[in-house]
Amino acid sequence: MDTLQLLASNRSFGGWHRRYQHESEVNGCTMTFAVFMPPQASENNRVPVLYWLSGLTCTDENFMQKAGAQRIAAELGIAIVAPDTSPRGEGVANDEGYDLGQGAGFYVNATQAPWDRHYRMYDYVTSELPALVEANFPVNTRRSISGHSMGGHGALVCALKNSDRYLSASAFSPISHPSQTSWGQKALTAYLGDNQEDWVDYDASLLFRKVKDTDARMPVLVSQGLADEFLQEQLQPEALQEAAKAVDYPVTLELHEHYDHSYYFIASFIEQHLRFHSRVLHPSQ
Amino acid sequence: MDTLQLLASNRSFGGWHRRYQHESEVNGCTMTFAVFMPPQASENNRVPVLYWLSGLTCTDENFMQKAGAQRIAAELGIAIVAPDTSPRGEGVANDEGYDLGQGAGFYVNATQAPWDRHYRMYDYVTSELPALVEANFPVNTRRSISGHSMGGHGALVCALKNSDRYLSASAFSPISHPSQTSWGQKALTAYLGDNQEDWVDYDASLLFRKVKDTDARMPVLVSQGLADEFLQEQLQPEALQEAAKAVDYPVTLELHEHYDHSYYFIASFIEQHLRFHSRVLHPSQ
């Protein structure tokens, strides 16, 4: 555990919420993440992990404080790991906008200066962080992934590119087709350059086109509020649904009247998402 | 409703979370509060109300975002009303410390300058706010009250002084004996002056001394984490328990190993508190 510095520890629903810092090799800076470890977890009973990717402006704290997920994770015996949404700190490139730079890593490996020096959130989330978690906590290698908004985009992209690493994926209000919407276009241009062919790997609706008949398919659940202030401009879940349908990928899109883009929406449906993931994370139950 | 200005509205667990501003007569300034209205509430089905009083530095938002109470309130058909923790704004007296002035009203009616001009949180919480809520929302007059830390103190004081207005009271980690602890001494001196006889009305452990054999008793539940960093210095729940026992008042004090002073503790036990209140708020169920 000497690679991990404990920042905070709170008893929660019989388990523990803890925040850690560590030196990230792939991002070349100090990264922060949070873990909820359910009461069932021990060396003799390693539990599966749900990775949660947060949205624009968030840190590791938003989901842990606001989603109300620990109650159900404690019941189901699932650990939750929530990374920060970008590299941070002095010397890490940033932008004045809330939608680029620190707090807005978009879960890509940047190729363009100045971002390419630290912004490798895709590798961080899919490889470095799981390896670190699996080496230091009583968890097994059964993983699912979920997220909100920018993090919903991240969860879908990570899952679609790694059907061998995740058992299920879900998203709340994801940026479903970033190459066609303004948040996504701004970020993908900055991080990857303006050749849109380089964006395909980070656009869930386009990634479905790459799925082959023989590829494994995992269950995917997407929840979207119909009063979401970003629905038409930024999210476009119908593009995701059409793309999935074209390749016969089992994406369930649920639309919820009156719900908006806030954590009140996430809190209202996180139980459903955790039970959805639990069915594949705990196949024998 | 023209006295209420709607600030925000979020669908939550089939009900609504809404924030309002209004001109408070007793505080002489604009006050903010939040309401969670469960899905059952209508003009033909007025629901009972749990008033929640937050702790130092909080606003109306902390509890609504972090406690996870809406899920259970939606199930039980209980409205929740969360006021701000003090008057605020330009022209409202303040202090540099986090534990006095704005964000730290201590739910008293101040008698000392400069606080006496706006700081009348006791009258606000027990009279003006319930009257406003009962005139403008589909609620009935069955009320309970709860809170955390400074708000736990507030809830116990409001309940003990108004056994005719509240059906039950509960508290998380309350400042149980403020006249003997430093947060309380600082605030009570500033707001009420240094004659400690004037503090008795705002110290739950001392208020029990005033309970007469013939007075009504409501059920009271207090939850306290044993890893709470403020337990010995500021909270002293054992003083409360002894005072209650002396007058045969039914206070249940539950101590929880490992839990601290944070919202992770509140979230872990808010379901128990809501079900406790529901038994008297919905006597027929």
Side-chain angles (χ1 to χ4, degrees):
Chain A
M1 287 281 240
D2 36 325
T3 55
L4 293 178
Q5 187 196 342
L6 183 67
L7 298 180
S9 178
N10 311 94
R11 189 75 160 175
S12 173
F13 287 95
W16 290 99
H17 164 259
R18 290 189 167 121
R19 303 183 66 214
Y20 296 93
Q21 272 188 347
H22 72 109
E23 294 308 310
S24 163
E25 270 187 46
V26 304
N27 287 331
C29 68
T30 304
M31 291 294 297
T32 305
F33 67 94
V35 175
F36 174 72
M37 199 54 61
Q40 300 88 337
S42 72
E43 282 307 323
N44 295 322
N45 183 35
R46 297 175 82 88
V47 296
V49 181
L50 177 71
Y51 288 84
W52 173 269
L53 307 184
S54 283
L56 288 168
T57 76
C58 289
T59 68
D60 64 289
E61 296 197 280
N62 303 66
F63 179 78
M64 291 296 189
Q65 293 182 352
K66 296 182 176 179
Q70 288 93 331
R71 178 183 63 88
I72 316 143
E75 176 199 324
L76 298 172
I78 296 173
I80 301 174
V81 174
D84 201 351
T85 52
S86 77
R88 288 186 202 265
E90 272 189 72
V92 173
N94 203 359
D95 184 87
E96 287 179 4
Y98 72 96
D99 53 359
L100 188 67
Q102 297 187 28
F106 270 83
Y107 307 102
V108 304
N109 290 336
T111 58
Q112 307 296 303
W115 311 105
D116 54 343
R117 189 162 160 217
H118 294 288
Y119 284 74
R120 302 188 62 83
M121 287 297 288
Y122 174 76
D123 281 353
Y124 179 72
V125 162
T126 57
S127 300
E128 187 181 29
L129 183 61
L132 187 77
V133 166
E134 287 158 24
N136 286 284
F137 296 92
V139 300
N140 58 37
T141 56
R142 299 186 74 81
R143 307 174 201 97
S144 293
I145 191 162
S146 184
H148 174 234
S149 195
M150 175 183 75
H153 140 78
L156 295 170
V157 164
C158 292
L160 286 168
K161 293 175 68 158
N162 296 278
S163 60
D164 55 329
R165 292 185 63 76
Y166 300 102
L167 295 167
S168 54
S170 77
F172 291 84
S173 331
I175 302 173
S176 298
H177 196 11
S179 41
Q180 295 301 316
T181 52
S182 60
W183 277 342
Q185 288 169 343
K186 177 177 177 180
L188 298 178
T189 302
Y191 294 140
L192 305 174
D194 48 21
N195 181 354
Q196 296 204 10
E197 285 182 23
D198 296 331
W199 300 1
V200 175
D201 256 10
Y202 295 113
D203 182 314
S205 295
L206 300 180
L207 278 171
F208 276 118
R209 293 194 194 162
K210 294 188 168 189
V211 174
K212 301 191 191 83
D213 282 356
T214 52
D215 284 350
R217 282 153 170 73
M218 73 184 79
V220 177
L221 172 63
V222 176
S223 295
Q224 175 63 55
L226 290 174
D228 188 321
E229 55 272 41
F230 302 111
L231 178 54
Q232 294 309 319
E233 282 290 299
Q234 305 287 2
L235 305 179
Q236 303 196 346
E238 65 285 354
L240 188 81
Q241 193 176 36
E242 281 168 31
K245 202 175 170 189
V247 292
D248 214 16
Y249 208 109
V251 172
T252 302
L253 171 62
E254 297 199 349
L255 304 175
H256 297 281
E257 237 183 326
H258 302 305
Y259 285 90
D260 60 25
H261 201 67
S262 72
Y263 262 91
Y264 294 106
F265 175 49
I266 300 173
S268 297
F269 294 95
I270 192 68
E271 177 164 358
Q272 180 198 5
H273 280 238
L274 278 161
R275 294 193 188 283
F276 163 82
H277 291 295
S278 184
R279 285 196 288 275
V280 292
L281 290 172
H282 292 300
S284 58
Q285 290 180 2
Chain B
M1 285 278 244
D2 37 323
T3 55
L4 293 177
Q5 185 195 344
L6 182 66
L7 299 181
S9 178
N10 311 95
R11 189 77 159 174
S12 174
F13 288 94
W16 290 100
H17 164 259
R18 290 188 167 122
R19 304 183 65 214
Y20 297 91
Q21 272 188 349
H22 71 112
E23 296 307 310
S24 164
E25 270 187 47
V26 303
N27 287 330
C29 67
T30 304
M31 290 294 297
T32 306
F33 67 94
V35 174
F36 174 71
M37 199 54 61
Q40 300 89 337
S42 71
E43 281 307 323
N44 295 321
N45 184 35
R46 299 176 81 87
V47 296
V49 182
L50 176 70
Y51 288 85
W52 173 269
L53 306 184
S54 283
L56 289 167
T57 77
C58 288
T59 68
D60 64 290
E61 296 197 280
N62 303 67
F63 180 77
M64 291 295 188
Q65 293 182 352
K66 296 183 176 179
Q70 289 92 332
R71 177 182 64 88
I72 315 143
E75 176 199 322
L76 298 173
I78 296 172
I80 301 174
V81 174
D84 201 350
T85 52
S86 76
R88 289 186 201 263
E90 272 188 71
V92 174
N94 203 0
D95 184 86
E96 288 178 3
Y98 71 96
D99 52 0
L100 187 67
Q102 296 187 28
F106 271 84
Y107 307 103
V108 305
N109 290 336
T111 59
Q112 306 296 303
W115 311 106
D116 55 343
R117 189 161 160 220
H118 295 288
Y119 285 73
R120 301 186 64 82
M121 286 299 288
Y122 174 76
D123 280 353
Y124 180 72
V125 162
T126 57
S127 299
E128 187 181 32
L129 183 61
L132 187 76
V133 166
E134 287 157 24
N136 286 284
F137 297 92
V139 301
N140 59 36
T141 57
R142 300 187 74 81
R143 308 174 201 97
S144 292
I145 191 162
S146 184
H148 174 232
S149 195
M150 174 182 77
H153 140 77
L156 294 170
V157 164
C158 291
L160 286 168
K161 293 174 68 158
N162 296 278
S163 59
D164 55 329
R165 291 185 65 74
Y166 301 102
L167 295 167
S168 53
S170 78
F172 290 85
S173 331
I175 302 173
S176 297
H177 196 12
S179 43
Q180 294 303 313
T181 52
S182 60
W183 277 341
Q185 289 169 342
K186 178 178 176 180
L188 297 179
T189 302
Y191 295 138
L192 305 175
D194 48 20
N195 182 353
Q196 296 203 10
E197 284 181 26
D198 296 332
W199 300 0
V200 174
D201 256 9
Y202 295 113
D203 182 313
S205 296
L206 300 179
L207 278 171
F208 277 118
R209 294 194 194 161
K210 294 189 167 187
V211 174
K212 302 192 191 83
D213 282 354
T214 51
D215 283 350
R217 282 153 170 74
M218 72 184 79
V220 177
L221 171 63
V222 176
S223 296
Q224 176 63 54
L226 290 174
D228 188 322
E229 55 273 40
F230 302 111
L231 178 53
Q232 294 308 319
E233 282 289 298
Q234 305 288 1
L235 306 179
Q236 303 195 348
E238 66 284 353
L240 189 80
Q241 193 175 35
E242 280 169 33
K245 203 175 169 187
V247 293
D248 215 14
Y249 208 108
V251 173
T252 302
L253 171 62
E254 296 199 350
L255 304 174
H256 297 282
E257 236 183 325
H258 302 305
Y259 285 89
D260 61 25
H261 201 68
S262 72
Y263 262 90
Y264 294 106
F265 174 50
I266 299 172
S268 297
F269 295 96
I270 192 68
E271 177 165 358
Q272 180 198 3
H273 280 239
L274 277 161
R275 293 193 189 283
F276 163 83
H277 292 294
S278 184
R279 284 195 288 276
V280 292
L281 289 173
H282 291 300
S284 58
Q285 291 179 1

